[in-house]
Amino acid sequence: MSSARENALRTIISSGIEPRPAEVFNADKNFGCDVFGLDVMRKRLPKAVFRKLEQIIRNGEQLDPSIADTVANAMKDWAIELGATHYTHWFQPMTGLTAEKHDAFIEFAGPGKVISEFSGKKLISGEPDASSFPSGGIRSTFEARGYTAWDPSVPAFVFRGERGGTLHIPCFFYSYSGEALDRKIPLGRSIHALSTQALRILRLFGNTSASRVYPVVGAEQEYFLVDRRLAMLRPDLMLTGRTLTGASSPKGQELEDHYFGAIPARVQDFMQDVEQRLEALGIPAKTRHNEVAPGQFELAPIFEESNIATDHNMLIMNVLKHVAASHGFVCFLHEKPFAGVNGSGKHNNWSLCDSDGNNLLNPGSTPQDNAQFLVFLAAILKAVHNHADMLRLGTIGAGNDHRLEANEAPPAIVSVFLGEQLEDVLNTIIGSEQALHGKRTPIEIGVSTLPPLPIDQSDRNRTSPFAFTGNKFEFRAVGSSQSIAPVNTVLNAAVANALEEIATELEAGVSAGSSLNDTLSELLPALFKKHMAVVFNGNGYSSEWPEEAARRGLPNYANTVEALEHSMDPSISDVFLRQHILTERELLSRHDIMLENYVKTVQLEARVLEDMARGSILPVTFQEEARTADLALKVKELCSESDSVEYGHFRLIREHNLALKAALDSLNSEISATAAIDDATIQARSVLNRLLPAMQAVRSECDALERIVERKQWPFPTYAEMMWTY
């Protein structure tokens, strides 16, 4: 066995890492203690300043410069009391990660003297160097100006370290010419568009008290943990987030004994540490459990407003990785770290609420509530049916391509699961003979009351990408490493567009003298009939579903490249432009960034795979070939048997070594050929159709050799060692 691998395993087996004693954390008392929230503001700001800031936060406005210095000084004093020495404008560039540059509070106050200062100007905006962030051609490399602006709707917080903390100010990130260079600005625009159109519907139903409508989101987060001493011996895991070679473990997930099993003590210690950090940051971590694959786990928070949930999910991913290191783990958020077992997703649970606290996807108990619910349901079905290609764009990525349509994830075909009972209701409204059993009497919209709908009815169909669960929709296709900003941006945009068209028709009917109920009775059956094609309650894994989906006209973009080839279709771009969420230039930039990211991701994986195979695997397998050749020769001399078991073993290794060498030469050629292509779309197609198959050919030979080479000689930790060692 390679000495590093042997030493790592011996250390883990002999001693392990004992769970650390944790301080007792009182969530009721300490929740949000590291957050500059409303309660802290109320205590530390003058009453007039607090009221103005509270109004700014509630209405999603920019900070008033007249109160900026007062707010900044109070924030600085509070942060220093918590041990903060620096501040940072924390933003989300188009890398898909978060970014931060730390500046100390100190300023010179005379020769040899410093004081802590933080001005309103520094709070409101910053100017990080934007030259190395993806811009998709919005700005040239030499045009380095990028600006951050505080997003007051998300509270500032202190992120603590071992030797102090840093005040994090959540920000937007934009270019010198004003275009969005991040994922938060389009998300905020989509929320505004959704609110504008949803309020039109509420006004038609007589609601004059609600001042806004906002999406709420609960994003479940799945992840893998691998002992750091083993992970560090896997260049593929450390450089790409997934294993590029690796024979299946003799025991995987087939016994289904890991899912919801007893949490290992060391892992539970890690989870408790994570939860305490999150709760101090005001993130309501609710659920923890073992997931399906060995070494896989899940954390789920309570629902929050979409923009806050997005920031908090990025923080959750940061905290998971940060805390894992202190527990001797490496946390992997990649969608498919290990082949042959379940990958990791991020189920995006999405609903709509108004400022009065009403869930607009709750059917309610009165005919009017039912009618309003049906309007919003019709808008969502219309949005998903008309813009399934947009929603697919919210889930694309080289990592998620390995997960979608596998046995643990929904297919790439975006459809809606409603459950038999609600589908029956809609068929009855349509007047369809498909209504179950033919027993339901016609429903008069605005007059009849809907039957009670079980909240958990749709959780039983785990093959649906977009499932109704009683008062929310669960979008299951999002990848575990992905920001939830893109998927919620496209979802908000599509629903806003549908609501706008429905509101226009309803307003026209009412203006023409019809009652709202009469207008609804004419419009809703037509809408449901037109868009029921997107409703599918069956098995999304069945071989018949793609054929049926094609007959229904539903798009099936099986991978990132196919989806991106449609990202600039008028059916998509018109929605973003019409709802003022992205400009044409911003749309083009995102298309280019996503293409470039896909190509670079796979190219990196290919280079790492070639390096591992040539530099570590082939030397070992060549040695094994020589050893078995010598053994076969000795057996032949002693027994005069040319077809001995030993000779058969030598021949098998020899065949795989030759095949691996040929596959590596082919991979090297494909790496060079792909890199030489200038056109991004053609390059991405080459990566998909040529580079990935070449990588798979190399992997197949490596995995075959791993199964037959003497185990102690294999240079890398195995699947069994990584997934089952705690």
Side-chain angles (χ1 to χ4, degrees):
M1 183 181 295
S2 65
S3 58
R5 177 177 156 221
E6 183 179 19
N7 291 338
L9 284 170
R10 183 180 292 118
T11 303
I12 296 168
I13 294 168
S14 63
S15 61
I17 295 180
E18 294 296 326
R20 303 183 307 163
E23 298 179 7
V24 176
F25 186 87
N26 187 324
D28 291 341
K29 178 181 178 182
N30 296 322
F31 183 82
C33 61
D34 291 345
V35 177
F36 193 70
L38 288 174
D39 288 342
V40 177
M41 295 177 192
R42 186 179 289 106
K43 295 175 183 177
R44 291 178 174 266
L45 294 173
K47 186 176 294 185
V49 173
F50 170 74
R51 287 177 177 170
K52 186 172 288 189
L53 182 58
E54 185 181 32
Q55 180 180 343
I56 289 170
I57 294 171
R58 183 171 56 249
N59 297 334
E61 302 169 355
Q62 293 185 341
L63 184 64
D64 186 340
S66 67
I67 65 171
D69 283 336
T70 303
V71 174
N73 191 60
M75 190 183 292
K76 179 258 298 179
D77 290 344
W78 166 82
I80 289 175
E81 289 174 16
L82 292 180
T85 58
H86 291 66
Y87 70 92
T88 180
H89 279 195
W90 185 67
F91 58 101
Q92 299 173 30
M94 291 298 294
T95 58
L97 305 172
T98 57
E100 53 195 69
K101 179 188 73 167
H102 296 196
D103 288 300
F105 287 120
I106 59 171
E107 299 285 352
F108 272 118
K113 295 181 180 180
V114 296
I115 59 172
S116 295
E117 283 190 350
F118 185 51
S119 67
K121 181 180 179 180
K122 292 177 180 177
L123 168 62
I124 291 175
S125 64
E127 188 184 341
D129 183 347
S131 61
S132 294
F133 290 115
S135 72
I138 281 182
R139 23 158 305 285
S140 302
T141 301
F142 64 86
E143 296 171 328
R145 285 188 184 273
Y147 298 92
T148 53
W150 181 32
D151 174 12
S153 68
V154 182
F157 57 91
V158 169
F159 196 90
R160 303 194 194 213
E162 294 293 329
R163 300 180 182 276
T166 301
L167 172 64
H168 283 59
I169 304 162
C171 287
F172 303 112
F173 184 46
Y174 57 97
S175 71
Y176 177 76
S177 49
E179 289 96 352
L181 294 177
D182 70 351
R183 290 175 165 173
K184 282 196 68 177
I185 292 175
L187 176 64
R189 293 170 181 167
S190 75
I191 293 170
H192 176 74
L194 182 60
S195 179
T196 299
Q197 304 307 330
L199 283 175
R200 293 173 64 188
I201 301 296
L202 295 188
R203 298 294 185 254
L204 285 165
F205 279 91
N207 184 333
T208 58
S209 61
S211 58
R212 67 187 181 108
V213 171
Y214 54 91
V216 292
V217 169
E220 306 166 27
Q221 180 68 57
E222 296 175 346
Y223 59 93
F224 279 83
L225 293 176
V226 177
D227 187 282
R228 185 174 184 274
R229 290 162 291 200
L230 295 174
M232 293 295 290
L233 300 177
R234 294 285 313 212
D236 47 0
L237 269 179
M238 298 308 298
L239 295 178
T240 73
R242 76 178 182 103
T243 53
L244 302 173
T245 73
S248 298
S249 168
K251 180 184 178 182
Q253 63 188 52
E254 60 276 352
L255 295 180
E256 300 177 342
D257 54 343
H258 191 262
Y259 189 54
F260 278 25
I263 300 172
R266 182 180 166 199
V267 175
Q268 183 159 323
D269 185 47
F270 157 79
M271 289 178 167
Q272 289 171 333
D273 201 352
V274 167
E275 289 162 0
Q276 291 181 10
R277 294 289 298 273
L278 294 179
E279 288 168 358
L281 291 168
I283 301 174
K286 178 71 172 177
T287 303
R288 65 182 184 220
H289 63 83
N290 289 6
E291 255 299 334
V292 174
Q296 185 186 33
F297 307 93
E298 180 177 301
L299 180 154
I302 299 174
F303 281 65
E304 300 179 285
E305 291 192 36
S306 179
N307 58 324
I308 297 176
T310 298
D311 276 31
H312 280 177
N313 183 252
M314 299 304 291
L315 257 181
I316 286 172
M317 292 193 286
N318 289 348
V319 169
L320 284 169
K321 285 182 168 290
H322 184 82
V323 174
S326 65
H327 287 259
F329 289 119
V330 178
C331 176
F332 292 101
L333 300 172
H334 194 285
E335 287 76 16
K336 202 75 172 181
F338 300 100
V341 297
N342 276 20
S344 295
K346 185 179 294 181
H347 302 166
N348 190 82
N349 295 280
W350 178 92
S351 190
L352 290 175
C353 289
D354 65 23
S355 55
D356 294 332
N358 300 306
N359 185 326
L360 303 181
L361 298 187
N362 189 335
S365 56
T366 69
Q368 176 155 321
D369 289 339
N370 293 166
Q372 181 177 288
F373 162 75
L374 290 172
V375 171
F376 281 98
L377 179 62
I380 292 168
L381 293 183
K382 177 182 174 72
V384 178
H385 188 209
N386 287 349
H387 305 298
D389 45 5
M390 278 180 62
L391 298 185
R392 179 69 178 92
L393 287 171
T395 69
I396 60 171
N400 213 22
D401 281 358
H402 297 290
R403 167 181 167 264
L404 289 182
E405 301 199 61
N407 64 340
E408 78 279 6
I413 304 167
V414 180
S415 62
V416 178
F417 179 83
L418 294 179
E420 289 184 349
Q421 190 172 0
L422 185 52
E423 186 179 19
D424 179 25
V425 169
L426 301 193
N427 280 325
T428 302
I429 292 172
I430 295 170
S432 170
E433 295 179 359
Q434 297 176 21
L436 293 183
H437 313 302
K439 293 181 179 179
R440 186 171 304 285
T441 56
I443 292 175
E444 296 184 61
I445 297 167
V447 178
S448 303
T449 301
L450 298 182
L453 300 174
I455 286 181
D456 62 352
Q457 64 172 336
S458 62
D459 192 42
R460 290 179 174 83
N461 191 327
R462 302 180 67 82
T463 71
S464 174
F466 201 73
F468 181 66
T469 55
N471 58 6
K472 61 183 174 65
F473 281 90
E474 182 182 28
F475 198 6
R476 299 173 54 84
V478 187
S480 54
S481 70
Q482 296 175 329
S483 165
I484 61 172
V487 72
N488 284 293
T489 298
V490 297
L491 181 54
N492 296 341
V495 174
N497 206 60
L499 286 171
E500 180 183 20
E501 293 175 358
I502 292 173
T504 298
E505 290 193 59
L506 290 176
E507 289 166 352
V510 172
S511 296
S514 295
S515 68
L516 178 61
N517 278 1
D518 288 344
T519 308
L520 288 171
S521 296
E522 182 177 344
L523 177 61
L524 286 181
L527 283 171
F528 288 132
K529 184 175 183 179
K530 182 177 181 179
H531 299 296
M532 282 297 284
V534 80
V535 176
F536 178 64
N537 291 335
N539 180 8
Y541 295 158
S542 69
S543 57
E544 297 82 13
W545 171 229
E547 297 176 5
E548 171 63 22
R551 284 193 293 271
R552 297 183 183 199
L554 303 182
N556 182 8
Y557 303 143
N559 53 68
T560 294
V561 177
E562 290 180 15
L564 281 174
E565 286 176 346
H566 294 274
S567 69
M568 295 306 297
D569 288 355
S571 61
I572 294 176
S573 58
D574 288 353
V575 174
F576 287 118
L577 296 172
R578 179 176 174 179
Q579 299 302 325
H580 306 289
I581 293 168
L582 290 169
T583 65
E584 186 171 358
R585 197 175 181 200
E586 289 168 339
L587 277 167
L588 285 167
S589 74
R590 277 152 177 75
H591 171 85
D592 291 347
I593 288 169
M594 289 186 287
L595 267 181
E596 182 182 33
N597 185 66
Y598 175 83
V599 169
K600 286 182 175 179
T601 297
V602 182
Q603 286 177 327
L604 169 62
E605 292 177 347
R607 292 195 300 270
V608 171
L609 175 58
E610 183 184 20
D611 184 73
M612 290 175 65
R614 288 194 190 277
S616 298
I617 294 176
L618 272 181
V620 168
T621 58
F622 282 155
Q623 289 177 7
E624 184 75 353
E625 180 183 324
R627 185 185 70 83
T628 55
D630 289 343
L631 182 59
L633 183 61
K634 289 178 181 178
V635 170
K636 182 180 179 181
E637 290 173 351
L638 292 173
C639 307
S640 299
E641 293 184 10
S642 60
D643 291 331
S644 64
V645 172
E646 290 79 5
Y647 180 74
H649 188 55
F650 156 73
R651 188 172 59 188
L652 186 61
I653 292 177
R654 174 69 174 164
E655 288 173 356
H656 282 299
N657 273 342
L658 290 173
L660 176 56
K661 178 64 169 60
L664 280 169
D665 291 344
S666 177
L667 175 61
N668 182 267
S669 296
E670 293 299 341
I671 291 172
S672 299
T674 300
I677 299 173
D678 292 328
D679 185 279
T681 301
I682 298 174
Q683 188 179 39
R685 267 287 167 186
S686 178
V687 164
L688 174 68
N689 296 328
R690 299 181 64 88
L691 190 56
L692 280 172
M695 291 172 61
Q696 183 56 45
V698 171
R699 175 174 189 146
S700 295
E701 297 304 328
C702 290
D703 293 356
L705 284 163
E706 182 181 341
R707 293 185 179 94
I708 58 177
V709 167
E710 189 177 8
R711 182 57 50 87
K712 67 180 182 180
Q713 301 300 331
W714 195 252
F716 303 117
T718 66
Y719 269 29
E721 291 163 354
M722 290 185 288
M723 292 192 294
W724 290 105
T725 302
Y726 292 109

